Amino acid sequence: MPFRQLRDDIKAIRVRDPAAHSLLQVVLTYPGFHALVLHRVAHFLWRNHLKLIAHVVAYISRILTGIEIHPAVKIGRRFFIDHGTGVVIGETAEIGDDVTLYQAVTLGGLSSNAEKRHPTLKNGAIVGAGAQILGPITVGEYARVGANAVVLIDVPDNTTAVGVPARLVQKMPSIPLNQDCQAFMAYGADGMRDDDPTAKAIEILCTEMKALKKRVAELEMTDETAVSRPKIVVSNGGGI
């Protein structure tokens, strides 16, 4: 495992997590880093046809870190699993550079066939805590997946997906991460605050309901005025 790759992994963690105060702290106490290092060992063994030993390394990693990564998974540079507990990444998943996952994320498969059945996460994707990304779908570059979302469809580049099942709620401007991760936003929260179509629909309905209530009140006031107004009887002035 190249030293430079390890150095980049540690640097990415320090940039994305303000709680990481030193290189030594990351090396000694970050389960996401431990899981990544052990996975790179397991993946090397897997590619060299030592699959049983690779599985043993992955199993030890799961025991030590609470993070399960199949040894066949392809992972790019500067990958960060924050907190980490409960993360599961299936066999045919592919992860690009500068990707961030939070705790309890699942990159799972929906098929039992020996085929591409797990997600592909492209460069710079951020996946919030508890999200489930299922099937051979693609989460595009710099896309965001909200916490606890269940994603069953492709997420285009620079787009946010939220909800169960997930829907696409925002197209963000393309701001690629550099190697210092300057455009990083924890939990991908920059793309989850606005442009939620459900929230907008509810807001429109509430506005229309207020307008209707106001109109009904005006009509009731008009009717009450008409009822309370004294009637004027017009006599024709006829005699006997």
Side-chain angles (χ1 to χ4, degrees), residues 64-87:
L64 294 176
T65 67
I67 297 168
E68 181 175 346
I69 308 176
H70 192 283
V73 175
K74 298 176 182 178
I75 296 179
R77 303 173 70 86
R78 298 178 295 277
F79 178 53
F80 179 30
I81 302 175
D82 200 358
H83 305 298
T85 302
V87 168

Side-chain angles (χ1 to χ4, degrees), residues 131-202:
Q132 314 294 302
I133 305 176
L134 306 176
I137 61 177
T138 299
V139 176
E141 292 191 350
Y142 314 109
R144 308 289 187 259
V145 175
N148 297 313
V150 177
V151 184
L152 303 173
I153 58 174
D154 290 344
V155 181
D157 296 350
N158 306 295
T159 301
T160 297
V162 297
V164 182
R167 60 193 184 279
L168 308 179
V169 300
Q170 186 178 43
K171 183 76 173 179
M172 300 175 295
S174 179
I175 308 177
L177 295 174
N178 58 30
Q179 290 191 6
D180 293 329
C181 309
Q182 294 300 317
F184 178 75
M185 174 64 71
Y187 292 92
D190 57 333
M192 299 177 205
R193 296 172 182 168
D194 303 310
D195 290 341
D196 184 335
T198 301
K200 283 191 172 183
I202 293 173

Side-chain angles (χ1 to χ4, degrees), residues 19-231:
H21 300 296
S22 69
L23 181 152
L24 189 61
Q25 177 193 355
V26 172
V27 171
L28 294 179
T29 68
Y30 271 59
F33 176 71
H34 301 156
L36 178 58
V37 171
L38 289 170
H39 171 72
R40 295 204 191 283
V41 173
H43 187 63
F44 173 82
L45 295 169
W46 181 272
R47 288 190 293 108
N48 285 276
H49 310 292
L50 299 171
K51 294 187 176 182
L52 178 58
I53 302 176
H55 275 295
V56 171
V57 173
Y59 178 68
I60 293 171
S61 176
R62 185 179 68 176
I63 292 173
L64 294 176
T65 67
I67 297 168
E68 181 175 346
I69 308 176
H70 192 283
V73 175
K74 298 176 182 178
I75 296 179
R77 303 173 70 86
R78 298 178 295 277
F79 178 53
F80 179 30
I81 302 175
D82 200 358
H83 305 298
T85 302
V87 168
V88 177
I89 304 176
E91 178 183 10
T92 61
E94 299 178 45
I95 298 172
D97 298 337
D98 301 302
V99 172
T100 303
L101 306 184
Y102 287 86
Q103 63 271 19
V105 166
T106 298
L107 305 184
L110 297 176
S111 170
S112 59
N113 298 325
E115 59 188 9
K116 170 65 174 170
R117 59 190 188 278
H118 297 92
T120 296
L121 274 57
K122 292 191 175 181
N123 297 346
I126 299 176
V127 182
Q132 314 294 302
I133 305 176
L134 306 176
I137 61 177
T138 299
V139 176
E141 292 191 350
Y142 314 109
R144 308 289 187 259
V145 175
N148 297 313
V150 177
V151 184
L152 303 173
I153 58 174
D154 290 344
V155 181
D157 296 350
N158 306 295
T159 301
T160 297
V162 297
V164 182
R167 60 193 184 279
L168 308 179
V169 300
Q170 186 178 43
K171 183 76 173 179
M172 300 175 295
S174 179
I175 308 177
L177 295 174
N178 58 30
Q179 290 191 6
D180 293 329
C181 309
Q182 294 300 317
F184 178 75
M185 174 64 71
Y187 292 92
D190 57 333
M192 299 177 205
R193 296 172 182 168
D194 303 310
D195 290 341
D196 184 335
T198 301
K200 283 191 172 183
I202 293 173
E203 183 179 354
I204 291 170
L205 287 173
C206 289
T207 301
E208 291 181 351
M209 186 172 291
K210 288 179 181 178
L212 287 171
K213 284 183 177 179
K214 182 179 179 181
R215 180 58 180 157
V216 169
E218 290 173 352
L219 292 172
E220 289 177 344
M221 184 72 70
T222 302
D223 289 345
E224 289 175 0
T225 302
V227 170
S228 61
R229 185 182 298 132
K231 294 182 179 179

